Amino acid sequence: MNSPPPPDIDWRSRVFDSLSFPTLVLKPDRTIVSVNRKLLERFAATEADFVGKTCREIFHRFFDDPELPCNQKECPLEKTFKDGAGHSILRQIYRKDGMMHWEDRVFSPIVDESGAVVYVVESIRDVTRTKTLEKVFHDIRQLMDRVIQSSASAIMAADRSGRILLMNRAAEDLFGFRFANTRDIHVTALYPPGTAHEIMKKLRDDKYGGQGKLPVTRFEIMTRQGERIPVEMTGAIIYEDGKEAGSMGIYNDLRERLAVKKKLQEAQSQLVQSDKMASLGRLAAGVAHEINNPLTGILMYGHVVKEKLDPAHPLQTSLTCILEDANRCRDIVKNLLAYSRGATTSRDAFALNSLVEESLRLIRDQKLFMNVTIQKEFGTEMMMVYADRNRMSQVVINLVMNAIDAMNRNGILTLKTYRMPDLETACIEIGDTGCGIPHDNLDRIFDPFFTTKEMGKGTGL
């Protein structure tokens, strides 16, 4: 059985009273014709306190509003009556109690049959809590932005499609891009081919720090200039409602750390080499002393026999060869002892150009220069140096002899002296047109006993 229809009620007033915001209705002369229950409850007032009053009166009395909306450039109520369209105004009010409030006032026109605005409904919404939360979120966002931007590590984020969403200043410096210019750049362009795919594969694999997380891992990134830079990277997938929404990475440039590591390894290698050379020096000293005694006897008795034999004796040639080889052995022993003891130096001042000239004259076998053209490019200014003259001369002679050997005694030998720009350093350069030193041997040119010459032609000392 159908129930009877409800009695006719004034539903318009019910709707007006049921509005959740304080609301009032105004006429064009700004007088209030009606207010809803929410407004009365908020101010513990009666309709008589509002109806028939102007908006100026009630806002001064009840709303504690020191600056009315109609004191603005253009009153939103007047604008609503004028153009028949809704308007709103968001206002920040500091009330007499010192508290700050935010109010959102919305003005909606009521028109008659001809379309003329006869009333305006004004709703007053206190949005202080919402605006406070917005400010909190805004402050948090600003703080996070400052933290990200001030980070020494490069930080970058991209959405699922690979569009770059975030790049802090450190990332801009590392990758060589300005964030404002990355709109048309896909994130894969910042890595060598295949690297971005490898990173995402590891991010999605439970074996690497859990799904969606990448612990510190070494990769290479690609700069705007095409340079590959080694980095340490940590990364994460950004999820939204359980689905991948993007990814982010934190990068630390490894170039400086690797350079320091390389220098440390080189220093360790040099220390090991020094220990080896010290041990080798002690061994060389022992061997030299053991050889020196019988060698002295060979030379002495060889000279005695050579003096007693007739100059035309057939053994004279053999004795001469024996003595020459013995003298060569003595020189080798002398070098071994000099290497092992680190012979002391005797320094004095001398002209650099005269040292080079004198060293050339000391080369006994001048026939070595028959097919060699000597070019001298000596500095014209006086260059006085303070060093061990004899040892410096030995260095020049050895370099010249090596140059002649490298040219197979046929080529151009260049001798050059000059002063460095600091005016405190003088240089000697000895160049040749020979075969040069193989690249594999460059690191060993100062190793004792290392030589590429044939047996008997060099000792490496």
Side-chain angles (χ1 to χ4, degrees):
M1 181 175 180
N2 296 330
S3 59
D8 188 18
I9 61 172
D10 187 1
W11 61 269
R12 291 180 179 83
S13 63
R14 298 288 182 90
V15 170
F16 184 56
D17 274 336
S18 66
L19 294 176
S20 57
F21 301 105
T23 307
L24 51 141
V25 180
L26 299 102
K27 295 195 298 185
D29 62 0
R30 290 190 171 87
T31 59
I32 300 170
V33 296
S34 182
V35 294
N36 72 344
R37 185 178 302 164
K38 194 70 175 180
L39 182 66
L40 299 178
E41 290 175 353
R42 175 175 172 181
F43 296 104
T46 63
E47 286 193 32
D49 294 323
F50 289 92
V51 175
K53 309 291 193 304
T54 65
C55 54
R56 289 175 181 269
E57 293 175 309
I58 66 103
F59 281 120
H60 269 309
R61 177 182 173 187
F62 291 102
F63 285 80
D64 197 11
D65 190 347
E67 186 178 356
L68 296 174
C70 49
N71 291 336
Q72 307 295 321
K73 291 182 179 180
E74 189 173 3
C75 175
L77 176 62
E78 185 177 336
K79 286 172 63 179
T80 304
F81 277 112
K82 182 178 179 181
D83 57 27
H87 292 281
S88 65
I89 182 172
L90 181 64
R91 306 197 56 240
Q92 186 179 14
I93 303 171
Y94 286 91
R95 294 184 174 162
K96 293 177 182 178
D97 59 3
M99 300 295 292
M100 186 271 291
H101 291 265
W102 286 91
E103 283 186 355
D104 185 20
R105 297 184 180 178
V106 181
F107 300 83
S108 305
I110 299 176
V111 299
D112 59 14
E113 291 79 0
S114 64
V117 179
V118 290
Y119 299 104
V120 168
V121 177
E122 180 179 355
S123 294
I124 303 144
R125 307 180 187 185
D126 189 337
V127 292
T128 303
R129 187 170 182 274
T130 302
K131 298 301 292 185
T132 301
L133 289 175
E134 285 181 2
K135 186 177 185 307
V136 170
F137 290 140
H138 179 266
D139 291 345
I140 292 174
R141 185 170 181 176
Q142 280 193 325
L143 175 63
M144 291 300 296
D145 185 63
R146 286 195 293 269
V147 170
I148 291 171
Q149 291 299 334
S150 62
S151 172
S153 299
I155 301 175
M156 185 180 66
D159 63 15
R160 185 175 172 80
S161 66
R163 182 169 60 94
I164 298 173
L165 302 176
L166 169 69
M167 184 179 277
N168 70 347
R169 283 186 286 272
E172 290 180 333
D173 294 338
L174 178 63
F175 289 96
F177 289 96
R178 299 277 77 85
F179 174 59
N181 301 327
T182 59
R183 182 174 299 175
D184 299 325
I185 298 174
H186 196 274
V187 70
T188 54
L190 304 180
Y191 301 94
T195 301
H197 176 73
E198 181 184 354
I199 292 172
M200 292 307 299
K201 183 178 179 181
K202 289 185 175 182
L203 279 169
R204 297 184 178 114
D205 195 333
D206 291 335
K207 296 178 181 178
Y208 297 92
Q211 189 172 7
K213 297 179 181 179
L214 180 68
V216 177
T217 309
R218 181 171 170 177
F219 289 104
E220 283 188 338
I221 58 101
M222 188 79 75
T223 68
R224 182 183 180 186
Q225 294 75 25
E227 179 187 2
R228 293 191 178 201
I229 295 179
V231 297
E232 270 187 353
M233 174 188 173
T234 58
I237 294 176
I238 302 170
Y239 292 96
E240 187 174 325
D241 296 330
K243 296 181 180 179
E244 292 183 13
S247 59
M248 61 84 64
I250 302 176
Y251 310 81
N252 288 304
D253 191 342
L254 288 179
R255 285 177 295 183
E256 184 175 350
R257 194 187 310 175
L258 292 177
V260 171
K261 183 179 179 181
K262 183 179 180 181
K263 289 182 179 179
L264 180 60
Q265 290 174 340
E266 290 174 353
Q268 290 173 336
S269 298
Q270 291 174 0
L271 182 61
V272 172
Q273 183 70 6
S274 297
D275 289 341
K276 289 169 61 177
M277 291 300 102
S279 300
L280 192 56
R282 291 191 292 270
L283 174 63
V287 171
H289 280 298
E290 291 297 327
I291 294 176
N292 209 31
N293 292 330
L295 195 59
T296 300
I298 292 172
L299 285 169
M300 183 183 69
Y301 289 113
H303 281 292
V304 170
V305 173
K306 185 175 177 64
E307 290 174 359
K308 287 185 177 182
L309 288 178
D310 187 86
H313 195 283
L315 292 179
Q316 282 285 359
T317 302
S318 299
L319 279 171
T320 300
C321 293
I322 290 172
L323 291 173
E324 286 180 353
D325 287 342
N327 280 320
R328 187 180 297 123
C329 289
R330 185 183 61 184
D331 291 339
I332 293 173
V333 169
K334 188 185 298 183
N335 283 335
L336 282 171
L337 287 172
Y339 163 71
S340 63
R341 292 171 181 170
T344 58
T345 59
S346 176
R347 299 188 179 193
D348 54 48
F350 54 88
L352 190 63
N353 290 349
S354 64
L355 171 77
V356 180
E357 294 279 16
E358 180 184 323
S359 300
L360 286 176
R361 291 193 297 270
L362 288 176
I363 297 177
R364 289 172 293 181
D365 190 357
Q366 293 294 312
K367 295 193 299 294
L368 296 173
F369 298 102
M370 287 182 59
N371 298 315
V372 175
T373 301
I374 300 178
Q375 292 183 350
K376 298 178 182 178
E377 300 177 8
F378 292 168
T380 56
E381 56 184 318
M382 176 63 71
M383 288 176 285
M384 299 297 294
V385 297
Y386 185 69
D388 187 316
R389 188 186 187 100
N390 292 330
R391 299 185 77 176
M392 287 294 296
S393 180
Q394 182 182 358
V395 169
V396 173
I397 291 172
N398 286 340
L399 290 174
V400 169
M401 295 300 294
N402 285 340
I404 292 173
D405 288 342
M407 296 187 293
N408 199 20
R409 303 186 182 186
N410 190 342
I412 300 174
L413 177 68
T414 303
L415 304 172
K416 183 178 180 180
T417 63
Y418 58 92
R419 188 192 297 272
M420 293 290 284
D422 61 9
L423 302 180
E424 297 182 356
T425 307
C427 295
I428 303 174
E429 286 187 8
I430 299 176
D432 62 72
T433 56
C435 59
I437 301 175
H439 184 270
D440 293 342
N441 293 337
L442 286 177
D443 292 338
R444 305 192 62 189
I445 59 175
F446 294 113
D447 287 358
F449 310 110
F450 174 76
T451 180
T452 57
K453 295 182 179 180
E454 298 177 6
M455 186 70 69
K457 291 188 176 181
T459 62
L461 288 175

